[in-house]
Amino acid sequence: MSKPLKLGVAGLGTVGAGVLNLLRQNGDVIAARAGRPIEVVAVSARDRTRDRGVDVTGLAWHEDAVALAADPNVEVVVELIGGSEGPARRLVEAALAAGKPVVTANKALLATHGAALAQLSEAKATPLAYEAAVAGGIPAIKALREGLAGNRISRVAGILNGTCNYILTEMRVKGLPFDVVLKTAQELGYAEADPAFDIDGVDAAHKLAILAALAFGHQVDLKALHIEGIRNVSALDIALAGELGYRIKLLGIASQDEAGVTARVHPCMVPEASPIASVDGVFNAVLAEGDAVGRVVLQGRGAGAGPTASAVVADLVDIARGRTAPVWGAASATLATAPGLPMERHRGAYYLRLMVLDQPGVIADVTGALRDAKISLESMLQRGRAPGEAVPVVLVTHECEEAQMQSALARIAALPSVVEPPAMIRIEEL
Amino acid sequence: MSKPLKLGVAGLGTVGAGVLNLLRQNGDVIAARAGRPIEVVAVSARDRTRDRGVDVTGLAWHEDAVALAADPNVEVVVELIGGSEGPARRLVEAALAAGKPVVTANKALLATHGAALAQLSEAKATPLAYEAAVAGGIPAIKALREGLAGNRISRVAGILNGTCNYILTEMRVKGLPFDVVLKTAQELGYAEADPAFDIDGVDAAHKLAILAALAFGHQVDLKALHIEGIRNVSALDIALAGELGYRIKLLGIASQDEAGVTARVHPCMVPEASPIASVDGVFNAVLAEGDAVGRVVLQGRGAGAGPTASAVVADLVDIARGRTAPVWGAASATLATAPGLPMERHRGAYYLRLMVLDQPGVIADVTGALRDAKISLESMLQRGRAPGEAVPVVLVTHECEEAQMQSALARIAALPSVVEPPAMIRIEEL
């Protein structure tokens, strides 16, 4: 067996400790698959005294993470600090500049600085691997970059944020409102004290930007993404979706056709028979459609110490074996710059749920607004009667363009008999 | 861009023609991902005059497939002939001996001669890649070998034969008997004229042997596999399974614990909520459980020109990029030889369906046989009454050992009031 591959690990939070533990616990099988042992020789974290559930005795300790890149004993840098700027970015840049391969779980960094980092990686012929950045332990990056390399990918989509999927699942199963479930999720550690990054869709958007760049061979373009989170999803809409045969999921979806690339993160209604409709709780799923392969769906745990460490170690085994790939699957010079299409150009079917006063003429006003926007209805559902009070009305449309829908929605929202802002959820046939 | 990677393709059936077409149709994206163009320069097939829907003008033609290994213009050999012996085996051995990388879709060859081929591949430092051998376009080999390389895998399982899954799905959806659906499948080209290889579980067993070898780091041991096909699955049992909340699937399942490895292919009842219960028709699924990652499930098309070509091209892109791995994920010398456990040692819950004469004392006799074998019942279902005639009785047991069940079954089958051989299907909590 060859000599060990020596790592410097920056960040000893849940994931960092998980990586150290996994490398020790499965050292024998990892060495067999890597062709050589993989050993941590140096670490960096903010507080040296904190108990992390992992023994760091005998490892070099750097106060400054960036020093790992200069440590002559470190051959590969594992960046698990997180964040698109600061020490994470400086460490990754310094390591690549020094010709040291980098493994990272940092989706924000990749989504924000992916183009520049890919160029640096190529200029230095030094790999930058990030399987752990998307969908935790699911080998989605490898599947897209290598496993489907023969395909033109038309669509990539997924349940990319476990916090949102957990909240939506709990809301459905227990019939509870968003705020109540979010609070429980925070108590259980499934959601952060400041949950905005997850529940407003930003985390899913970072991951989708990475998947889209790999799938379509484009530079990441985070600014072209349409992003909506799950704050406005109500328990009522989840229940009504169930009656219509749908589940509500926060999806990231990127698709490409002749006109360009559409990339969006928002709550979706997916048919219950869809392979991703039943991916519940903290599980993630990634779906890809290729011209040769058809549809491939991968599912598994999207977060946590074990799954994320699994992905980090997979990248390390690749590096130990000399298995490398360009950051975005192809050399930067060959990447296209397809135009990002605005959300107004999205086409699809829509679910609308209105709270209307139960009085004559209301339905005529609402359907008239849709007719004027040239939107045709597939079905309408009015439940219960309460003369003079507000009752829910559900409308499901045929496919139309987002711009049409927005124009109709503006008129509907302004009707005096519509007493709450309309709920609109896009329907996806995945 | 570097100079092209030159291929010799043996076998121009559906898959061979699919590979040639895919390499042409997606040549630009494949070259970008491979870092160089991938071109077919030579082919071999039995009949030169047959129209295969692919243009072979300008390609060298070898009557003898094995000659591709000696063609100085061929850098990589693609073996798509099939079969564990004959020209397929001779070509793969000759190519590896000549130091030419091989890509194959040949599960029978890998399952039968995998150990010797792995040693040859290592001795010559020449890769042998076979993504297309298991689960068609699903990148399952790559996921197990590389994507989950940090894990100890405890179980790998899957729907590995599209013909069987199509037949079982049609039987369920249309309520038709096995023979009728098989005939339709043959007319549609989903089943061979001689369907034994598929419906008796042999094809699934080859694929399971490959997955088990990769997952557990053992040499393939086809002889230790327990194999049952789907000929005896009845429409009645499929309907009763549905009533109990299960689907019947032909699964390959391999698991490893301290005692050894169990590998088996047989019809299973899986809970409807299982992620593979809803994988229907010609789709395949592969499930793996790792100690770090937890459960990962991959699904997609398991056969056909496009999906299989997608897998072949993925291997070719890996070879063009210099991304290689030992045949079984680790060097042959490090592979273990864990004992294969006999089927009698399998533990699980069982579904039994008996046709019994509707007369006093029958149930007491049946449950007495189970009690004597120390098997406890979870539930029993007796439907309808027809005094003096045969009625179905369904029994679901708690977990017991296969040997106990076989002993009870022998006694039950011998009861005078049990008028047909009992149907027994194993229940799997996947």
Side-chain angles (χ1 to χ4, degrees):
Chain A
M1 179 116 1
S2 320
K3 64 191 169 84
L5 184 71
K6 295 178 186 167
L7 314 181
V9 176
L12 287 179
T14 309
V15 175
V19 169
L20 264 65
N21 283 328
L22 183 58
L23 286 170
R24 282 173 192 165
Q25 177 187 319
N26 288 358
D28 55 343
V29 294
I30 292 168
R33 291 164 184 161
R36 54 197 292 201
I38 298 179
E39 285 177 10
V40 179
V41 297
V43 294
S44 172
R46 258 178 295 186
D47 179 359
R48 190 159 188 165
T49 58
R50 199 175 127 209
D51 178 14
R52 301 178 165 84
V54 62
D55 183 6
V56 293
T57 315
L59 306 183
W61 186 283
H62 296 281
E63 296 292 327
D64 176 11
V66 184
L68 287 170
D71 184 331
N73 206 24
V74 168
E75 296 172 90
V76 174
V77 165
V78 180
E79 184 277 302
L80 302 169
I81 303 167
S84 62
E85 309 297 335
R89 182 182 179 190
R90 288 198 303 275
L91 170 60
V92 170
E93 288 175 349
L96 291 176
K100 297 189 180 182
V102 173
V103 173
T104 179
N106 192 332
K107 49 239 169 202
L109 179 70
L110 263 294
T112 311
H113 301 295
L117 290 172
Q119 280 159 17
L120 181 56
S121 163
E122 285 165 46
K124 296 291 178 177
T126 302
L128 167 60
Y130 53 89
E131 183 64 70
V134 178
I138 306 171
I141 298 298
K142 184 175 274 287
L144 265 181
R145 185 182 59 205
E146 302 165 25
L148 305 184
N151 293 265
R152 280 182 218 279
I153 305 291
S154 55
R155 183 158 67 162
V156 60
I159 296 172
L160 302 173
N161 183 277
T163 304
C164 288
N165 205 44
Y166 171 82
I167 291 172
L168 293 174
T169 301
E170 289 288 296
M171 287 175 70
R172 174 174 64 79
V173 173
K174 302 193 174 150
L176 292 170
F178 174 81
D179 292 338
V180 172
V181 176
L182 172 61
K183 193 151 175 292
T184 313
Q186 286 171 318
E187 284 161 10
L188 289 168
Y190 292 162
E192 305 285 335
D194 176 1
F197 197 69
D198 289 314
I199 65 173
D200 291 335
V202 182
D203 174 72
H206 286 157
K207 295 165 177 168
L208 179 66
I210 291 170
L211 291 177
L214 267 175
F216 306 138
H218 295 145
Q219 292 293 4
V220 174
D221 187 2
L222 201 53
K223 288 183 296 294
L225 264 158
H226 175 87
I227 310 174
E228 294 170 34
I230 62 167
R231 285 186 201 260
N232 295 325
V233 176
S234 70
L236 173 60
D237 291 317
I238 290 177
L240 289 166
E243 289 186 34
L244 294 165
Y246 291 96
R247 296 273 174 91
I248 298 180
K249 296 288 181 189
L250 182 77
L251 297 186
I253 304 174
S255 55
Q256 174 172 252
D257 60 19
E258 306 76 40
V261 170
T262 316
R264 52 203 167 91
V265 171
H266 53 70
C268 296
M269 286 203 183
V270 294
E272 274 171 355
S274 161
I276 66 174
S278 51
V279 174
D280 277 339
V282 296
F283 280 78
N284 281 18
V286 174
L287 175 156
E289 288 170 356
D291 57 353
V293 78
R295 176 183 295 180
V296 172
V297 182
L298 295 82
Q299 58 177 281
R301 292 182 179 276
T308 312
S310 170
V312 167
V313 172
D315 279 344
L316 291 169
V317 170
D318 273 355
I319 287 168
R321 282 275 180 202
R323 291 192 294 253
T324 65
V327 171
W328 301 116
S332 292
T334 71
L335 296 184
T337 48
L341 297 181
M343 193 62 192
E344 291 72 44
R345 294 282 305 280
H346 166 69
R347 288 189 66 84
Y350 292 79
Y351 159 97
L352 297 182
R353 193 261 311 155
L354 316 174
M355 294 306 290
V356 301
L357 292 178
D358 189 2
Q359 61 190 29
V362 174
I363 300 299
D365 291 345
V366 168
T367 54
L370 291 168
R371 175 203 60 210
D372 293 349
K374 299 190 166 47
I375 297 169
S376 64
L377 277 179
E378 186 191 287
S379 63
M380 199 181 79
L381 178 76
Q382 186 177 3
R383 183 71 53 78
R385 295 238 41 196
E389 289 179 44
V391 291
V393 170
V394 171
L395 304 116
V396 175
T397 76
H398 286 294
E399 190 176 300
C400 65
E401 204 166 64
E402 176 90 8
Q404 291 170 267
M405 177 50 64
Q406 294 297 349
S407 118
L409 264 182
R411 267 192 54 193
I412 290 169
L415 292 171
S417 50
V418 172
V419 300
E420 276 182 19
M424 180 272 276
I425 302 177
R426 297 174 191 90
I427 296 174
E428 297 291 330
E429 300 297 330
L430 278 177
Chain B
M1 182 129 343
S2 321
K3 63 190 171 84
L5 184 71
K6 294 177 186 169
L7 314 181
V9 176
L12 287 179
T14 309
V15 175
V19 169
L20 265 64
N21 283 330
L22 184 56
L23 286 170
R24 283 173 192 167
Q25 179 187 317
N26 288 356
D28 54 342
V29 295
I30 293 169
R33 289 161 184 163
R36 53 197 291 202
I38 298 179
E39 286 177 10
V40 178
V41 297
V43 294
S44 173
R46 260 178 292 187
D47 180 358
R48 191 160 187 166
T49 58
R50 198 175 128 211
D51 178 14
R52 300 178 164 85
V54 61
D55 184 7
V56 294
T57 315
L59 307 183
W61 185 284
H62 297 281
E63 296 292 327
D64 177 11
V66 183
L68 286 170
D71 184 332
N73 206 24
V74 168
E75 296 172 272
V76 174
V77 165
V78 180
E79 186 277 300
L80 302 170
I81 303 168
S84 62
E85 308 298 335
R89 182 181 179 190
R90 289 200 303 276
L91 171 60
V92 170
E93 289 174 349
L96 292 175
K100 296 188 181 183
V102 172
V103 173
T104 179
N106 193 331
K107 48 237 168 205
L109 179 70
L110 263 294
T112 312
H113 301 293
L117 291 172
Q119 280 159 18
L120 182 56
S121 163
E122 285 166 45
K124 296 291 176 175
T126 302
L128 167 59
Y130 53 90
E131 182 65 70
V134 179
I138 307 172
I141 300 296
K142 185 175 275 286
L144 266 180
R145 186 181 58 205
E146 304 164 24
L148 305 184
N151 292 265
R152 279 183 219 279
I153 306 290
S154 55
R155 181 157 69 161
V156 61
I159 296 173
L160 301 173
N161 183 276
T163 304
C164 289
N165 205 44
Y166 171 83
I167 291 173
L168 293 173
T169 301
E170 289 287 296
M171 288 175 70
R172 174 175 62 80
V173 173
K174 302 192 173 151
L176 293 170
F178 174 79
D179 292 337
V180 172
V181 176
L182 172 60
K183 194 151 174 292
T184 313
Q186 287 171 318
E187 286 162 6
L188 290 169
Y190 291 162
E192 306 283 335
D194 176 1
F197 196 71
D198 288 314
I199 66 174
D200 290 336
V202 182
D203 174 72
H206 285 156
K207 294 165 178 169
L208 180 66
I210 291 170
L211 291 177
L214 266 175
F216 306 138
H218 296 143
Q219 291 292 5
V220 173
D221 187 0
L222 203 51
K223 289 184 294 295
L225 262 159
H226 175 86
I227 309 175
E228 295 171 34
I230 62 166
R231 286 186 201 262
N232 296 326
V233 175
S234 70
L236 173 61
D237 292 317
I238 290 176
L240 289 166
E243 289 186 35
L244 294 165
Y246 291 96
R247 296 273 173 92
I248 298 182
K249 296 287 179 190
L250 182 76
L251 297 186
I253 305 174
S255 54
Q256 174 172 254
D257 59 20
E258 305 76 43
V261 170
T262 315
R264 50 202 168 92
V265 171
H266 55 70
C268 296
M269 286 203 185
V270 292
E272 276 172 351
S274 161
I276 67 174
S278 51
V279 174
D280 278 339
V282 296
F283 281 77
N284 281 18
V286 173
L287 176 154
E289 288 171 357
D291 58 352
V293 77
R295 176 184 297 180
V296 173
V297 182
L298 295 80
Q299 58 176 283
R301 293 184 178 275
T308 312
S310 170
V312 168
V313 172
D315 280 344
L316 291 169
V317 170
D318 274 356
I319 288 169
R321 282 276 179 201
R323 291 192 293 251
T324 66
V327 170
W328 301 118
S332 292
T334 71
L335 296 184
T337 48
L341 298 180
M343 193 62 192
E344 293 70 46
R345 295 283 304 280
H346 167 70
R347 287 189 65 84
Y350 292 80
Y351 160 98
L352 298 182
R353 192 259 311 153
L354 316 174
M355 294 305 292
V356 302
L357 292 178
D358 189 4
Q359 60 190 27
V362 175
I363 299 299
D365 290 346
V366 169
T367 54
L370 292 168
R371 176 204 59 212
D372 292 350
K374 299 193 166 48
I375 296 169
S376 63
L377 277 179
E378 186 193 287
S379 63
M380 199 182 77
L381 177 75
Q382 186 177 3
R383 180 73 51 80
R385 295 239 41 197
E389 290 179 43
V391 291
V393 171
V394 171
L395 304 116
V396 175
T397 76
H398 285 295
E399 188 177 300
C400 67
E401 206 166 64
E402 176 89 8
Q404 292 171 268
M405 176 51 62
Q406 294 296 350
S407 119
L409 265 182
R411 266 191 56 192
I412 290 169
L415 292 172
S417 50
V418 172
V419 298
E420 277 181 20
M424 178 272 274
I425 301 177
R426 298 171 189 91
I427 296 174
E428 297 292 330
E429 300 297 331
L430 280 176

